[in-house]
Amino acid sequence: MRTTAWSSAIDPADELRVNKVGNWGTGFIALGNTLGGDGRETAGLVWYSADGSAWTRMPVRDNGFDTAAQLMDVAVSRGKAVLVGYPVGNSKKPLMWKADVP
C-alpha cells in the first residue's frame, strides 16, 4: 500500500506513533507502533520510502516484527538495518532484527 500519510492499514492514524526515521540505502526507513486503543495489542510497524513523501508499510509477520509492542531504534550500515524493539508482555529483554536494504 502506498500513501502520502502514515498508515497501518488497520489502525486509525491517530493511534500510530512514529518513533524513528533514518536513511536506508537511497531512501528512508521509519519505525513505530500502534497505540493499541479499544483493547487491541500494540504492535511494531515499519515503513519504507524511496523519496520521503510516499511511504509503504513493510510486512511485519514474516520478519517477526509483530512480536514487538514497539520498535524504537534502527542502525543502518553496509546495506543492512538492525532494528531494536520491546516485546509484547512484561519481558525487559529487547528484541533485534536484521534486514537488507530493499
Side-chain angles (χ1 to χ4, degrees):
M1 173 164 89
R2 286 185 68 79
T3 181
T4 56
W6 302 103
S7 174
S8 77
I10 56 171
D11 292 293
D14 63 345
E15 292 188 20
L16 302 178
R17 176 178 293 146
V18 178
N19 299 321
K20 181 82 173 188
V21 177
N23 293 330
W24 198 15
T26 60
F28 302 93
I29 186 170
L31 311 178
N33 58 277
T34 62
L35 297 179
D38 295 329
R40 292 186 307 269
E41 293 287 329
T42 59
L45 299 171
V46 180
W47 298 272
Y48 173 75
S49 176
D51 60 9
S53 178
W55 292 86
T56 301
R57 181 173 168 217
M58 297 177 67
V60 293
R61 286 190 199 275
D62 293 344
N63 297 314
F65 299 144
D66 61 326
T67 64
Q70 55 185 302
L71 296 172
M72 298 303 298
D73 209 350
V74 61
V76 178
S77 179
R78 298 182 187 172
K80 303 271 186 204
V82 176
L83 293 79
V84 179
Y86 293 101
V88 172
N90 295 326
S91 175
K92 304 261 186 223
K93 183 179 178 182
L95 302 170
M96 289 191 270
W97 297 272
K98 182 172 67 172
D100 293 320
V101 172

